[in-house]
Structure formats: structure tokens, C-alpha cells
Amino acid sequence: MDYGPAPESDAEVRAWLATHKSSFGHFIGGSFVTGAKQIDTNEPATGKLLARIADGSKKDIDTAVSAARKAQGSWEKLGGHGRARHLYALARMLQRHARLFAVLESLDNGKPIRETRDLDVPLAVRHFYHHAGWAQLQDSELSAYKAIGVVGQIIPWNFPLLMLAWKVAPALAAGNTVVLKPAEFTPLTALLFAELAHKAGLPPGVLNVVTGEGATGASLVEHAGVDKIAFTGSTEVGRLIRKATAGTGKSLTLELGGKSPFIVFDDADLDGAVEGVVDAIWFNQGQVCCAGSRLLVQEGVAADFIKRLKRRMGKLRVGHPLDKAIDMGAIIDPIQLKRIGMLVDKGVAEGAEKFQPEITLPATGCFFPPTLLTNVETSSTVATEEIFGPVLVSMTFRTPDEAVMLANNSRYGLSASVWSETIGLALDIAPKLQCGVVWVNATNLFDAAVGFGGYRESGFGREGGREGIYEYLKLKAWAARKPKAVQRVAAEAEVKPNFDEPALDRTAKLFIGGKQARPDGNYSRAVLSPSGKIVGEVGEGNRKDIRNAVAAARAAEGWSKATAHNRAQILYYMAENLSARADEFASRIKAMTGTSKAKSEVEAAIQRLFSYGAWADKYDGAVHAPPLRGVALAMHEPLGVVGVICPDEAPLLGFISLISPLIAMGNRVVVVPSERHPLAATDFYQVLETSDVPAGVINIVTGGRDTLLKTLAEHDDVDGLWVFGSKENSASAEKLSTGNLKRTLVDHGLATDWYDTASSEGPVLLRHAVQVKNIWIPYGE
Ligand code: NAI
Ligand code: MG
């Protein structure tokens, strides 16, 4: 039996385009505003012009940011319930116009109407409902937080409306206003959304859409009136944005590329897994950041699996996106088509075997057949680069350990699929995969209640779920922080040679891998009292010391696997041992800082250790109930190795406040104590030595903050970086950490009140000490 064409009507879309004469300005402050320059957006399926859109200038961005700023105060003051009603109205508006959105998206992007109708639009609706709920619950569930302000959002062309929903819904729910820059290839559903949102009563300026190319996005990133940037797109542009926003105080979330593994064990339901592959790599023509583009099959079933897969590929139908019976539509643009072809050719040149089924493609337009590359080397271009097209590469493995190793052999860490009928095996593998989302016996499942986002070069931050809404909020206690008083390190503290020379006090070494270690350069620095008296000396750590400390921390991975009970016990033990020497610590703090609060600082540090001992087995994730038969486990995972720059204020309490949440969650740390008052941390070596802290979990390198920070920021084996120092320190941490796109938490030179639990204890910091991995487990036959 053959399929006849089953086209969806585009009449309603053509009528909407006609009312605008197929020419659009930006949507700013509640109405369309003409831009000076125009660009085209085409139908990828035919190459025909669909509409002309404005190419946003710096001035357009400025107008939009001003409109958003003007609207922000009253939008926030409207309150959670008021905003919930608006978000609910947006969800209803989308539902009422579902078909119009689905057809317009399909035309502008080239993706099958079946997908826009059954996935993009319903999921976008779901995001607005879900976030109407967050707005409603903001006062009770998120009361320690407030809106960030004006948010700039830049989205790609692969899921234009869905990415709008993922970004706009949480931003507006939390009380922010938005300037959205859609992708140049697919601006139309955003313009339609803005227009209909306004008709649905959304106040002017709350959502502004400025269209244009990369330069328009860059202007939005650079605009001083923007408080946060949320970006989805290529890793390359993500890095540029990280650099451009470094040190500006703008918060940032990045959802970037991927090269996600699709792992098939020999006991998998092979036909089910074949259908999974179809969904993983041919859904949306493979133009999906979390596409399962690396097939890893267990050797014993590989030949059989590939045979079944090839047979299935022969049944895929590629055609006009508005045909309801097709599986794959058009590639977004000739540029992308050329790039895909080039990468496939490169794969073949590097030794891969290419399979493309004998299926007919439309004679014109931008189409690429489903493609399978076998015989691929793990290091080849096609196995490592994101192709962003309907191209699957396949490799084999023998053991579960080898599967994990191959799966994690990537710069990216967005998602993974695991196929096995043995639940024990699947759930053993899932947490070992270094990525933000794992689907067990499934792929490409999404829900607004379940966070989505990646690790490493896939970016940072999550969209959806509780973790997603936090990305659009700021802690009230932090929003009120003032710049630190500038503290100058006295001149006598300059580095001086001869580490071996007897000093007034014992010269403290560094603490690396559980042992006191002499600094590599054999230099020490004096520690002065407020009156300039030498109260002790510490080692002057350098790059090599940081590298040694990172290696020691990396090796201590047993800590990340230790039980929470075990970690809690050790934190309590540290508290107990600190308590036994409280007077000694108090007099040291007094000698260094002259404070009269030294005793209470030690007491607060003891309490803080107890607090994180308490949290260690309680800050433990969630089980979500997305709309399917199954669950999604939101697991709190440690980041891994985290660099910590400690503040000069409260030298013991600041140090304890930063390292305890990190180690409570299973991270290993490389800590640079207060540059000015480091002796509280070096005295702490003895507490560590007597508290059963495993070697390498806490490594301490004293010395010049600026240089040590630089080495930590640039180190690709450091997964996260917390910087509580100067404004400049924050800027360089953000700027220099783009190599592996590590997650940063910086204070921008603002003074944190370490005695105030609302600013410095519990979930406010624990949240930054973990990354949420969502493991989807559908069940039933
Ligand atoms: P892109 O990253 O250049 O574009 C994404 C968005 O960023 C668009 O709205 C674009 O106008 C904007 N943009 C571009 N340069 C910018 C800049 N300097 N500052 C601010 N905004 C900027 O992605 P593109 O060129 O569309 O696709 C290139 C490759 O990126 C694809 O082949 C694919 O590998 C990857 N990609 C990944 C996506 C994902 O979801 N992970 C989405 C889109 C592309
Ligand atoms: Mg288009």
C-alpha cells in the first residue's frame, strides 16, 4: 500500500501573512515597530520567500530594552497571582491558535506538521500552564527570591516556538520582562506569539521581540540595561556570550550543543530500540541539541541491530513538511545542508561506511536523506563534532564499563539514552553518564516539570522544573549586598624568598592530597596583623601547586560516591574537632584581623559545619511525575572538582561556609583561603587530619589570589568555580572559564554577610553545589 499526499492547509497562515503584507517590524512595547533594514525568511521546503523581517539594530535593541525596563516594575508588583492569570491566558491563547502556530512553524522551519502539531505546540502550551503555577506559588515556595529584572533571550531555529516557551514562560512567571531575539531563519512564530499575547492582554513592554541576525543578538548581550542573558544555540556562540558578559554582573544560562550517546545493550528490546533511534536522530531532521547521534551497540547484537535499523530507514518518508504522512521534512537552510554533506563526506574520507536508504527526496528544496555511518573511529570528526542533521554514527562496545567510557568520551554532556530490559543494569549506568538528562528505554521525552540542560560544553543552567525557575530569580539577601570595602594587603606581605628560614611562627605549608606539602616555588609570604606586625607565614602557592591540588582532588572521586551518611559524619567530626580547639582559632583570628567577634566567628563556623552535616543526607532531589506512564528522577549530583576562592571577611567562617556545602554534596575542592588572613585555614589542616577527611577531598593552596584563581579558571579538569573576592576576580573567573564552560558562582565584589543564614547557609548555596540530572524511566509493557 502506498501513501497519497495528505497536506495540511496553509490558508490560515497565508491569510495572517497577508494582513501584514508579509512584512514585519519588531514587536516592541505592545506594537509592531518598523526596522530600518529588512532580511528574508524562507520556506526551507521550497526555497520560496515567506516573509520579510526587520534586521534589528543597536538602536532597536535599546528601544526594546527601555520598553522592557519601563514595564518591569509594575509587572513584578502585579504579584504572583496576577502573573499566573496572564500566563494561563497565554497558554489558552496558544491552545486556541494551535493549528495556526503549527502550520506557521512548519512552513518557516521545514519541520513536519506532525511534529509541530503533536509536540512543539502542545509542549509550549504545557510550559505556560506549568509556569502559571510557579507564578501562583512564588510567594509561598520561592519567597526568599525576587525577579532578576530585564532578561535578554536568544533562541535558535530548531524549535522556535518551543524555545520561546521554555524561555519566556519562566522569565515572565518570576516577574521579569523580556527582550527576545528569535533566530534569523525562523522569526515568525515569535512575532505571531507576541501579537496574540498582546491581544490576550499581556501588558505592553512585558514581552518584546527584536528580529535579526547574530549581530542583533550580540547587541542584546552587550546592552547595559539587560540583567540576564539566556541563550540556546551553538557552543561557539555560547562561549562568545560567556566572554561578553563576564564581570558585568549579568546572570547567564547556556543551553548549547551535544553529541549524545544512544546505548543499546544486548538484552534490549531491539525493535523498540530501532524505533528509539528513529526518534533520536531523525526527529526534526536530526537538528536537535539532544539528538541521539552516537549509536553505541553491544557487540553481540550489533550486526542484527544494524540490519534492522537499515530496514527501518528504508521506510522513512522524506517530503513536504505540511504532508501529514511524512517522517522527515526539510533542513533549515542551504548553508546547513552543505555543512551536513561536507561532514558526511569527511566521515567517509576518514574511513566510515555510509548507508543511505533508497528513498526518493523531493526534487527541489533543502532535503537530506537519513544517513548511517558505520565503522567509525571514536576520534573521527563525525564521532566528535555535532553534525546537527539526520546523520547517525555507530560504534560497538563489549562491556557496560566500556559503554560508559565511550559515552562519556565527549566534550559535551547534554543527554543520553540507555536501552536494556534489565532495570538493574540501566539504573546502574544512568548515573554514570556525564550529562544532564538520561532516558531509559526511551528518547527525546520532555516536560515542563522536568529540568533540561547539560554539563561541560553543553552549557550550564536548566530549563523547566524547580531548578529552571531559579535561573530567573535572585536571592533577596544577595540583591541587597554592598560593594566590599577595598582592602589593601600591606606592603610587608609581599612575597619573600627562603621558605626554610625560621620565621616568628611556624611557616604553614600547603595541604594537598591529605598531606602538608611544601610550595613548589619554595617561597613564603608573611601574614600581618592590622597594625602590620607579622603574625605568621604561609606558603606561596603557584600554578604547579594548583595543578597538583586539582590532580589530588580528581583522584579522590571515592568521595563523590561515598554515602551521604558518611559525608555527614565527617562534617560533624570536623565540627567536633574545631570545637575542641575553639579558643586557639579565636585568638588566631583576633591576631590576624583585630576583630572583637573572633569567638563568635568560631562558634558560627562550628554551627555551619553542623548545618551541612544535617543537610548532607537531606538535600536529595525529587521524583517527578511527567505526563506519561513512568517517572523522572531528579538526582542531585556533585559537580566534581570545584575551585573556591575565599573572602577576606570572616576568614574562618567564609572558608567553612563555602567548602562545607560543596563537600556535603560530594564535591572535592581546591581552596584558596583568604589572601590576607590565611592562617585560620592553615590551622584547619590539623582539624582535617584528625577528622577522617579522605585525602584529596579538601586541598588548600595559600598565596596570591589573582594568580591562583587564573590557573583554576583555565584548568579544564576543574568543573566549577566559586569566587568570593574582588570584582576583578569575578570578571576573570567568568572570562577565563570558557575552556570547558565551567559553572561559576561569583560575588562580583559584593560583601556577603556570613553570619546571616539567609545569605550564606543551606539551599541558597547547596543549589550551586549540585547539578540536577533527570533520569526518565517510563514503565509498563
Ligand atoms: P547560532 O548559535 O549561531 O545561533 C543561535 C542564535 O544565536 C540565533 O538566534 C543567532 O542569531 C544568535 N547569534 C549568533 N551569533 C550571535 C552572537 N555573536 N551573539 C549573540 N547571538 C548570536 O547557531 P547557528 O549558526 O544557527 O547554527 C550553527 C550550528 O550551531 C548548528 O550547525 C548546530 O551545530 C549548532 N546549533 C545548536 C543548537 C542547539 O540547540 N544546541 C541550536 C542551533 C544551532
Ligand atoms: Mg524560515
Side-chain angles (χ1 to χ4, degrees):
M1 195 180 81
D2 230 3
Y3 295 92
E8 173 74 47
S9 162
D10 61 2
E12 205 193 345
V13 165
R14 302 286 172 197
W16 176 71
L17 290 170
T19 62
H20 288 277
K21 302 195 174 64
S22 296
S23 168
F24 295 85
H26 311 296
F27 196 86
I28 299 176
S31 59
F32 280 103
V33 176
T34 6
K37 229 178 96 195
Q38 286 208 307
I39 48 176
D40 297 346
T41 181
N42 298 330
E43 284 177 54
T46 59
K48 285 188 195 142
L49 178 73
L50 191 56
R52 308 263 301 149
I53 57 152
D55 187 10
S57 64
K58 264 193 162 53
K59 198 165 150 280
D60 297 328
I61 288 288
D62 189 53
T63 313
V65 172
S66 303
R69 177 63 62 196
K70 199 167 146 227
Q72 201 270 325
S74 42
W75 179 244
E76 189 172 5
K77 275 194 213 88
L78 190 57
H81 176 65
R83 288 196 299 279
R85 291 175 79 116
H86 277 292
L87 271 101
Y88 170 73
L90 294 177
R92 298 284 297 138
M93 174 278 280
L94 267 177
Q95 275 180 314
R96 274 200 309 279
H97 299 282
R99 178 191 289 253
L100 176 62
F101 277 104
V103 175
L104 181 61
E105 191 80 316
S106 191
L107 282 175
D108 202 7
N109 170 284
K111 61 167 75 191
I113 181 72
R114 211 158 46 85
E115 291 178 8
T116 57
R117 183 194 64 195
D118 298 345
L119 194 131
D120 299 56
V121 176
L123 265 178
V125 170
R126 165 95 184 108
H127 268 264
F128 280 96
Y129 275 116
H130 178 80
H131 286 94
W134 278 122
Q136 178 67 32
L137 299 178
Q138 189 168 1
D139 290 345
S140 56
E141 287 293 299
L142 304 163
S143 58
Y145 293 84
K146 62 189 290 228
I148 295 178
V150 172
V151 180
Q153 304 184 318
I154 300 166
I155 55 175
W157 42 260
N158 54 345
F159 293 91
L161 179 69
L162 186 56
M163 290 303 104
L164 172 151
W166 281 24
K167 292 207 160 35
V168 169
L172 298 192
N176 304 283
T177 52
V178 167
V179 177
L180 177 84
K181 210 295 280 175
E184 49 273 46
F185 295 136
T186 54
L188 295 178
T189 46
L191 293 168
L192 173 63
F193 184 90
E195 182 184 31
L196 294 181
H198 184 66
K199 283 192 182 148
L202 194 70
V206 169
L207 170 63
N208 307 278
V209 177
V210 178
T211 54
E213 302 186 312
T216 311
S219 305
L220 180 57
V221 168
E222 283 152 21
H223 197 288
V226 171
D227 303 304
K228 177 196 166 80
I229 293 289
F231 172 77
T232 298
S234 61
T235 297
E236 188 192 347
V237 174
R239 281 210 170 90
L240 292 176
I241 295 179
R242 168 71 294 180
K243 288 202 178 115
T245 54
T248 60
K250 286 177 188 151
S251 52
L252 177 65
T253 40
L254 297 175
E255 205 271 88
L256 311 175
K259 188 77 185 178
S260 297
F262 188 103
I263 309 169
V264 182
F265 284 99
D266 60 8
D267 65 348
D269 164 3
L270 294 188
D271 288 326
V274 165
E275 287 312 308
V277 170
V278 170
D279 221 12
I281 188 68
W282 295 306
F283 164 59
N284 205 24
Q285 297 71 249
Q287 304 167 133
V288 182
C289 51
C290 53
S293 52
R294 277 190 301 147
L295 174 64
L296 307 175
V297 196
Q298 199 156 12
E299 218 168 70
V301 293
D304 183 12
F305 189 77
I306 296 294
K307 204 171 90 199
R308 294 183 202 217
L309 183 60
K310 286 181 175 171
R311 203 182 312 135
R312 179 68 179 86
M313 287 170 75
K315 297 208 173 76
L316 290 170
R317 293 165 45 90
V318 182
H320 194 282
L322 286 188
D323 182 342
K324 281 176 270 194
I326 62 122
D327 300 301
M328 278 172 58
I331 301 294
I332 188 70
D333 189 82
I335 298 175
Q336 193 69 10
L337 187 70
K338 207 170 134 203
R339 186 182 128 86
I340 297 167
M342 209 187 68
L343 280 164
V344 169
D345 291 346
K346 189 148 190 210
V348 172
E350 288 178 9
E353 218 168 279
K354 177 174 84 174
F355 173 79
Q356 289 171 333
E358 305 271 317
I359 53 177
T360 38
L361 300 185
T364 58
C366 222
F367 294 90
F368 199 88
T371 302
L372 170 67
L373 297 175
T374 50
N375 205 16
V376 167
E377 294 285 333
T378 51
S379 58
S380 65
T381 311
V382 287
T384 53
E385 294 287 312
E386 181 178 49
I387 298 175
F388 228 66
V391 182
L392 178 69
V393 301
S394 110
M395 284 162 273
T396 61
F397 66 88
R398 288 190 182 151
T399 62
D401 281 348
E402 196 190 351
V404 170
M405 204 191 68
L406 281 174
N408 289 340
N409 181 22
S410 170
R411 313 189 304 273
Y412 296 110
L414 190 51
S415 64
S417 280
V418 181
W419 293 74
S420 165
E421 289 297 287
T422 311
I423 187 79
L425 175 66
L427 293 187
D428 184 39
I429 297 297
K432 294 180 183 163
L433 299 171
Q434 292 169 358
C435 58
V437 188
V438 182
W439 294 290
V440 173
N441 293 326
T443 190
N444 281 338
L445 299 175
F446 309 100
D447 183 53
V450 185
F452 181 90
Y455 300 2
R456 300 190 288 192
E457 292 193 26
S458 295
F460 44 75
R462 294 289 181 271
E463 298 188 289
R466 188 182 280 266
E467 58 269 36
I469 192 79
Y470 280 128
E471 304 286 355
Y472 286 97
L473 292 165
K474 64 182 175 200
L475 194 64
K476 286 176 186 164
W478 282 5
R481 291 182 301 190
K482 299 272 181 309
K484 292 177 193 182
V486 182
Q487 291 187 336
R488 232 187 59 79
V489 178
E492 294 90 324
E494 300 287 299
V495 177
K496 50 180 210 178
N498 292 330
F499 186 76
D500 288 331
E501 232 172 56
L504 292 180
D505 200 343
R506 189 177 63 81
T507 304
K509 297 179 183 166
L510 314 177
F511 192 76
I512 296 176
K515 288 199 280 285
Q516 301 204 22
R518 210 168 258 264
D520 169 67
N522 260 342
Y523 283 92
S524 62
R525 65 162 57 206
V527 180
L528 305 181
S529 73
S531 61
K533 219 175 104 228
I534 296 185
V535 292
E537 292 202 334
V538 293
E540 180 72 22
N542 65 16
R543 298 163 148 268
K544 180 121 188 297
D545 296 309
I546 289 285
R547 285 201 283 263
N548 291 342
V550 171
R554 184 55 59 198
E557 74 183 315
W559 182 252
S560 299
K561 296 177 188 140
T563 64
H565 170 67
N566 183 224
R567 295 197 294 261
Q569 266 185 307
I570 286 175
L571 281 152
Y572 289 133
Y573 204 10
M574 283 161 65
E576 187 189 327
N577 287 326
L578 176 59
S579 174
R581 301 179 49 200
D583 291 343
E584 207 182 303
F585 273 87
S587 56
R588 183 69 109 175
I589 293 168
K590 183 153 195 318
M592 286 190 297
T593 65
T595 177
S596 57
K597 286 207 317 195
K599 260 198 157 68
S600 31
E601 180 171 344
V602 179
E603 187 47 41
I606 294 166
Q607 283 197 30
R608 197 134 291 170
L609 285 165
F610 257 85
S611 169
Y612 286 108
W615 276 114
D617 62 355
K618 296 173 190 66
Y619 194 69
D620 60 356
V623 181
H624 296 303
L628 87 160
R629 280 193 73 197
V631 292
L633 308 179
M635 310 227 319
H636 284 175
E637 285 191 343
L639 309 184
V641 174
V642 180
V644 181
I645 303 292
C646 295
D648 286 329
E649 319 89 80
L652 177 66
L653 182 58
F655 167 81
I656 295 294
S657 300
L658 294 173
I659 65 167
S660 342
L662 284 165
I663 63 167
M665 293 296 104
N667 298 284
R668 296 93 75 191
V669 294
V670 174
V671 194
V672 178
S674 157
E675 177 177 298
R676 205 167 180 220
H677 314 301
L679 296 173
T682 59
D683 290 349
F684 204 71
Y685 298 170
Q686 273 155 14
V687 173
L688 295 174
E689 283 164 345
T690 51
S691 304
D692 293 346
V693 182
V697 172
I698 300 174
N699 306 278
I700 301 171
V701 180
T702 48
R705 195 167 59 191
D706 298 355
T707 7
L708 300 178
L709 163 63
K710 182 166 182 286
T711 311
L712 278 170
E714 287 171 345
H715 203 306
D716 280 349
D717 232 7
V718 172
D719 305 296
L721 186 58
W722 288 15
V723 176
F724 287 75
S726 65
K727 195 166 186 291
E728 293 71 30
N729 289 150
S730 296
S732 60
E734 291 182 332
K735 186 165 272 142
L736 301 176
S737 61
T738 49
N740 65 345
L741 285 166
K742 55 178 70 67
R743 234 172 99 187
T744 54
L745 173 65
V746 303
D747 71 354
H748 297 293
L750 302 173
T752 305
D753 181 353
W754 299 103
Y755 290 90
D756 171 33
T757 49
S759 334
S760 59
E761 184 175 303
V764 297
L765 284 173
L766 287 165
R767 192 165 82 66
H768 298 279
V770 296
Q771 47 198 351
V772 184
K773 167 180 278 165
N774 276 286
I775 302 178
W776 290 71
I777 311 168
Y779 45 66
E781 279 300 306

